[in-house]
Amino acid sequence: MTEIKPPPSGDTRYDQKTDQAVEFEEHNHIEHEDEIPPELEPFLHTDPHHGLTSSEVQERQAKFGMNELPEKRTNPCLKFLSYFTGPISYLIEISCIIAAVVGDWIDFGIILGLLILNAIVGFCEEAKAESALDALRQTLALKTRTYRNNELVEVGVNELVPGDIIVLRIGDIIPADARLLGLGVNGEENDSELFIDQSGLTGESLPVSKKKGSTVYSSSVVKQGQQLAIVTKTGTNTFIGRAANLIAITTDEGHFQKIITKIGNFLICSTVILVLIVFIYQMVYFRGTEKGNWKLVLENCLVLTVAAIPVGLPTVMSVTMAVGAKQLAAKKVIVKRLTAVEELASVSILCSDKTGTLTLNELTFDKPWLKNNYTEEDILLYSYLGAEPGANDPIESAVRRAAESQLDILKNRENVRQVPGYKIRNFIPFNPVSKMTKAVVLDLASNQKFTIVKGAPQVITELVGGDDDAVRAVNALARRGLRALGVARTIEGNDDKFEMIGMISLLDPPRPDSQATIAACNALGVDVKMITGDQLIIAKEVAARLGMGRVILDSHHLVDPQKSDDEITEHCIRADGFAQVVPEHKYRVVELLQNKGLAVGMTGDGVNDAPALKKADVGIAVEGCTDAARSAADIVLLAPGLSTITDGVITSRSIFQRLRSYALYRITSTIHFLMFMFIVALVENWSMPAVLLIMICVLNDLATLVISVDNTEISQRPDKWRIGQLLTLSFILAVLLSALSFGTFYVAKDVFRVSDNELNSIMYLHISSAPHFVIFSTRVPGYWWKNMPNWIFTLCILGTQVIALFFSVYGVFGEHEGVAPCGYGWGLSILGISLVYFMILDVVKVRILQAWSFELTAKLVPTKARKEKLANRIIIAEKNRGIEVSWSTLQRPADAYMIAMAFKNHTQSLNEKQY
């Protein structure tokens, strides 16, 4: 027979069933430690009782610089001028100069006006966002206490240098990276721990205990204790300074700018080449005649260029995104960078910080473990009675907050400092030696005194004489990353004997809307990944509560020298998140995913998130974020919670569809115009009067500005600019439009034999209306009638063509401009044919999009990357088919077994009824 041994003293207990020792498990806190360069060590031997001298301070400021992070501000004038850069802008500016050279001041004014309008829209929208953010700036502590010349003085934070002796007390914001000296303010030995809140810096949700020799980081906050510390690093050399450096080196061109550049380059190259051919041809063909004057030919080519190039493309894009930014601002979402409205639509992976973003960044009372028939209300009340009033401690605050919100006895009290029915006779606050608080309480109803203790689980368990179940409960909580505190009280009639009430558990909980937001993002095809500096077990617990899965890896997987970047990238794609990371790791995750061709969003609130926010395609700073995060982000949330992120994704996708529809329309109309005008100029020596070309350019581009309010379809997957598909579809539609244009031209010229000026009016109305009505088709990927356009949009598009109809029917500009009335017969026929023809093109568009696939692209344009991607897809598809076959093989006998069991149960139930 096994002898049952009595439990020994200390933290070890014995399981009576297995005779195995039941111990409190140690969970080591993994923390990043900064290394001190050897050349810096000689400066860190300052006498803590004397401090540095004034001369030493000056020498070190000259060597190390001031303790501040340089703030980069863009000159507003340069910012405004930046809106005049880019391929399309350059070509428009050249056209503007040519217009001035040839004396075409009407064209000059129109072109210059569009350029300035585009710049003003973009500049004003981003300036509004900056103004809103400036009003939210938070001011950190600017002073600190340090020993200088044997005196404790208050100095500016920016004046600190390595080697300065600073005083750290409860509530202080640490002004620089420093090493704790284990000394009190007056130089006495002090072995107590300092509890530091560095959640905004590292993402750790719980205060971290620091002992003598530990490093404390700039911008973290002292929550408990006091000590002297010696400054080790200042300015850009600090932990926070390195994050600032990562932000400074991140200067990637935005995703949207790259797309616009590609579209612009294609249109510009096409326009310049064809216009140069026309210029050379006309100079040669009309040589020696009045029409061969270089100035006149150049003016004709200028008009052709202005009509062909997408003058309104930047303006329409800017206005559409500005409307989207205004819609988001109404939902408390401030857009700092206008193009982020579009780029958010393409985000397929959203990396999110945990502490303060997915969670509340405050300790909260979780489900407790209870003993001796005590209830959750009992442990809350006893914890409240044993909590220190007014203590600036997150644990005590969490206990008091939970009790006051859940216990009826604590609601609606006349005196909030008293607990009805109880009176505190004596209170001993927490100290690092006893590791518990102690309260002597009088029960006013029975006039009996009892003592409550609350503190470290090991201490409370030993105080009650040992409890194996309590040890197991604490270990179970610890494995999930929950902080446990034991609560016990004396039994009636014996003030020296304690009994266990239970263990309260504390956790920084998810925000109320985080799980719903993640689910909504997943439904929209956005994969959410948690990236946090907090401990791995805590990250897994929070991820499980958010329904994210628990495949959370630590930072070693990101810097493993044995793995290639491709292998690490695969880890990033497959994992649900990463824990115990520093800012450089977050930055690396975003960078690796981007290198894979993925559009990455990042949400965060702390200094540690700022580099990743800057690096991401779309950086989103949440409500209550630090200045560093706010400055680095593209979008700032002003309302608590994350639900507005899904609003932003939906709004951005509607904006994206509008931008894409305009791009498809504009590329189609440009290719059509160039194709028709180029061929007809070479074959027939025909050109449209300049005034008519300018009217097409102005009226049609102004009308399409209202595309920003049009109805559209919201994609359920991340949107993507498929440039190959866009150009191919545009080219096919343009060829079909050109066929109609040549048909109209030759029918009017050769069949009806209209005059030259009448032909000009007819072709003006046709070229104005036929491509313009195509926008009714390009606005949605499906059939146009399945999503009817907005009435304002419809009115503006039809309205411009009614104006064009009057110009043609009545020959408004006169014979001297080469324009003659064509009559209502021609006018109404042209508009009617254009309306019918866009419906035919709509069917062509839908059929092309239905047939389009990556496999088709890889076959038509078989690049190396596409071949590899297609091969990988085939391998994955074969694996999936193999899994499905295996599963169906297993499923059949399982289904048969379930049927047999159901039949057996049914038979048994019938037999039971008979008896």
Side-chain angles (χ1 to χ4, degrees), residues 95-97 99-101 104-113 302:
S95 300
C96 197
I97 294 169
V101 170
D104 190 348
W105 299 112
I106 294 176
D107 285 359
F108 176 83
I110 292 170
I111 297 168
L112 187 63
L302 167 69

Side-chain angles (χ1 to χ4, degrees), residues 647-667:
D647 292 335
V649 170
I650 292 170
T651 301
S652 67
R653 290 187 184 178
S654 66
I655 297 300
F656 181 94
Q657 290 298 333
R658 290 167 187 153
L659 294 176
R660 185 183 178 281
S661 74
Y662 176 76
L664 179 58
Y665 151 74
R666 200 64 185 85
I667 296 170

Side-chain angles (χ1 to χ4, degrees), residues 501-560:
I501 296 173
M503 296 286 171
I504 63 174
S505 59
L506 299 165
L507 180 74
D508 175 21
R511 289 179 181 268
D513 61 346
S514 291
Q515 185 171 6
T517 300
I518 291 171
C521 286
N522 291 338
L524 290 168
V526 180
D527 185 20
V528 181
K529 296 183 184 297
M530 179 195 298
I531 306 180
T532 178
D534 211 345
Q535 301 300 292
L536 183 62
I537 52 175
I538 296 176
K540 287 185 175 182
E541 175 66 18
V542 173
R545 295 188 180 207
L546 290 171
M548 295 177 67
R550 296 184 62 154
V551 185
I552 309 293
L553 306 178
D554 62 29
S555 59
H556 297 300
H557 289 80
L558 297 172
V559 291
D560 189 344

Side-chain angles (χ1 to χ4, degrees), residues 561-574:
Q562 305 298 321
K563 295 178 181 176
S564 66
D565 278 358
D566 287 339
E567 289 176 305
I568 295 172
T569 303
E570 284 303 313
H571 280 314
C572 293
I573 293 173
R574 294 175 182 176

Side-chain angles (χ1 to χ4, degrees), residues 76-94:
C77 294
L78 295 177
K79 180 76 172 175
F80 181 72
L81 291 175
S82 69
Y83 290 94
F84 292 92
T85 59
I88 294 175
S89 296
Y90 292 146
L91 185 58
I92 295 172
E93 287 153 14
I94 292 170

